[in-house]
Amino acid sequence: MAELSLAAPPVETPEGTTLSHRELLWALLRKPQFVVCTLALLTFFAMAAVPRLFTSVDPRACDLSRSRETATAGHPFGFDVQGCDYLANVIYGARPSVLVSVVASIGGFLLAAVLGLLAGYFPGFVDGLISRTADVVFALPGLVALIVILNSVRNRSIWVIVGVILLIGWPAGMRLMRSTVFSVRNREFVLAARAVGVPPLRILRKHVFPNAMAPLLAQTTLGVGALVGLEAALTFLGVGLQPPAISWGSQFGIAATYRDTPHLFIWPALFIATMTISFMIVGDSIRDALDPKLLR
């Protein structure tokens, strides 16, 4: 019975009614833009996981005699500089963008959540150590630091890029989580759990984290789209993925050299823009659904 009485209270709307997880899901599904963008993202995920569902052409099967040709029958995106089917290249290029954005977002959420929980719940030495470290990292110019670090790595894989993004990008999420934990740690159900001797880690896991995670989750989903563009920008600048890896960023880099061939730029730009906007709309919808002040 003590465990039941100490459970974190459910989210309440301005009208005072309890908002269940099912109602949160229904609030999202009632938004057409959320449904459309979620389907678009599922398509991109499928494209990254099983590209052969979308094309049977080998992206590295090239014919130089067809270099930079425009769309023809059976090749709706035309051909790239080496005469490879551009549709196949754009489809296979989805995997790096999806992996970098999704893995970096999940990793960033977990890292920021853990450090933010510790900093917010344990004031003093723990908070000071984490916060001052975050200040140092936060003071670095983000993109410049990414370029310098990645430029010093000889073999840059997807996992190396994700690791460097996590190394540079965690302070903002940690600060948000820390500030939210400050507002939760002195609420009645947390104080009651402390009074009956519940261990701190259990309090953090069962009571503090469920009530403090919403702002960080919303920020993370909104930031996934920016990571798609960041991966493309790093590869375009020559510090991202290396040949023979296929990615939208490397296609941008090639398209910049051949400005008289617009289809080399249009298709990866369209895919990046669609994926980025979809992530942002989904993130915005989740933020609205998790904010009781915005519920109607």
Side-chain angles (χ1 to χ4, degrees), residues 182-265:
F182 275 143
S183 66
V184 173
R185 65 189 298 269
N186 292 321
R187 292 175 65 178
E188 291 80 2
F189 58 91
V190 177
L191 296 176
R194 288 185 200 159
V196 298
V198 178
L201 291 181
R202 183 173 179 83
I203 293 175
L204 288 174
R205 181 169 56 91
K206 289 288 187 179
H207 306 295
V208 178
F209 177 69
N211 287 274
M213 65 174 288
L216 179 61
L217 179 61
Q219 176 183 282
T220 300
T221 53
L222 285 170
V224 177
L227 289 174
V228 177
L230 178 61
E231 183 278 325
L234 291 173
T235 305
F236 173 76
L237 293 172
V239 294
L241 295 176
Q242 299 168 297
I246 301 173
S247 75
W248 293 336
S250 62
Q251 290 160 2
F252 262 129
I254 295 173
T257 307
Y258 299 93
R259 298 180 183 179
D260 58 335
T261 313
H263 75 270
L264 296 179
F265 169 82

Side-chain angles (χ1 to χ4, degrees), residues 51-269:
R52 290 190 176 275
L53 291 177
F54 300 86
T55 180
S56 59
V57 179
D58 184 353
R60 293 186 173 87
C62 307
D63 182 358
L64 283 175
S65 65
R66 310 197 73 171
S67 174
R68 294 192 289 162
E69 281 189 16
T70 56
T72 60
H75 304 279
F77 286 11
F79 296 85
D80 67 5
V81 176
Q82 296 180 331
C84 308
D85 182 76
Y86 209 44
L87 172 62
N89 271 266
V90 172
I91 289 174
Y92 277 82
R95 181 171 294 177
S97 293
V98 170
L99 277 178
V100 169
S101 59
V102 173
V103 175
S105 296
I106 294 174
F109 175 82
L110 295 175
L111 184 60
V114 171
L115 294 178
L117 281 171
L118 295 176
Y121 193 77
F122 299 104
F125 175 77
V126 175
D127 181 25
L129 177 63
I130 295 174
S131 297
R132 298 297 76 79
T133 304
D135 291 341
V136 172
V137 177
F138 203 76
L140 298 174
L143 183 58
V144 175
L146 284 172
I147 293 173
V148 171
I149 296 173
L150 288 172
N151 197 45
S152 64
V153 178
R154 179 166 300 185
N155 297 315
R156 295 184 296 270
S157 66
I158 290 176
W159 308 112
V160 170
I161 295 174
V162 169
V164 176
I165 291 174
L166 291 178
L167 180 66
I168 299 298
W170 64 270
M174 188 282 297
R175 284 182 170 183
L176 177 62
M177 188 69 179
R178 174 177 175 268
S179 64
T180 310
V181 172
F182 275 143
S183 66
V184 173
R185 65 189 298 269
N186 292 321
R187 292 175 65 178
E188 291 80 2
F189 58 91
V190 177
L191 296 176
R194 288 185 200 159
V196 298
V198 178
L201 291 181
R202 183 173 179 83
I203 293 175
L204 288 174
R205 181 169 56 91
K206 289 288 187 179
H207 306 295
V208 178
F209 177 69
N211 287 274
M213 65 174 288
L216 179 61
L217 179 61
Q219 176 183 282
T220 300
T221 53
L222 285 170
V224 177
L227 289 174
V228 177
L230 178 61
E231 183 278 325
L234 291 173
T235 305
F236 173 76
L237 293 172
V239 294
L241 295 176
Q242 299 168 297
I246 301 173
S247 75
W248 293 336
S250 62
Q251 290 160 2
F252 262 129
I254 295 173
T257 307
Y258 299 93
R259 298 180 183 179
D260 58 335
T261 313
H263 75 270
L264 296 179
F265 169 82
I266 291 173
W267 293 115

